[in-house]
Amino acid sequence: QPHGDLAGLTVTVTTGGTREPIDPVRYLGNRSSGRQGAAVALAAADRGATVTLIAAHVDDGVLDAASRHTAITVHRVSSTAELKAATDAAAAASDVIVMVAAVADYRVAGVSDHKLRKEDGAPRLELVENPDILAGLVEARHAGQTVVGFAAETAADDGELLERGRAKRTRKGVDLLAVNRVGWEAGFESGTNRLVVLDTAGAVVADVDGSKREAAEALWDAALAVHAGRVG
Ligand code: C5P
């Protein structure tokens, strides 16, 4: 019987970066390592939750601990379409959903079924917008379900970071939005993270500068408070 303040909760966490195929050997991707999402899943499981971790592409070894945890089921996906299908399927039965995955906003129209050849000249990639998975989850949410989003933002300073975060929180309609500042150096492929968590009033309910695990713990403190309020 699991102990911990998340015991009895079923949660879904997404992590990693989606890849959009161009041809059988190439893709459009992003620099997400998947570490923050893995830490969010591990923290939840250690606090008693039953966790589904849906992982797009992650760095080597990032899923090792999660894969060994008996309370975590890991599903691997690649493209945004696959991530959406797996997430929508798991979300229905979830009390809390945390979308940490770095989702490609665009995919390639007309994916080539053969390797594009240099002799054919520089390809012109036509991009089409992907569905916003998070928006779909918010729309399909049932009473008592808590939805948390992440946003990696480049910003000149904290003021701009918070302004962008609050606008995105409102636009996405999530209960909590975790914002982290990224740049060429910061945020990616790193063990530490500064994470600012905003609630529906735009208030900062957590501000952690530490390991991704510490950020994950603070996020769950905030999510549990919101969830307890929602469930009553
Ligand atoms: O708008 P932006 O991509 O910054 O929003 C980030 C949040 O939205 C993350 O929680 C991410 O997982 C989610 N997202 C999504 N589907 C998309 C794009 C982003 O669920 N197509």
Side-chain angles (χ1 to χ4, degrees), residues 122-156:
R124 289 180 195 281
L125 298 181
E126 193 194 325
L127 302 182
V128 290
E129 202 171 331
N130 273 330
D132 189 317
I133 300 169
L134 192 55
L137 295 173
V138 167
E139 190 152 319
R141 74 188 308 166
H142 53 75
Q145 193 173 49
T146 299
V147 184
V148 182
F150 262 70
E153 303 286 345
T154 52

Side-chain angles (χ1 to χ4, degrees), residues 6 18-20 33 36 41 94-95 109 123 141-142 149 152 154-156 160 164 202 230:
L6 301 181
T18 60
R19 285 182 184 175
E20 300 300 343
S33 70
Q36 183 63 75
S94 297
D95 300 298
R141 74 188 308 166
H142 53 75
T154 52
E160 186 191 340
R164 288 187 184 283
R230 176 177 294 279

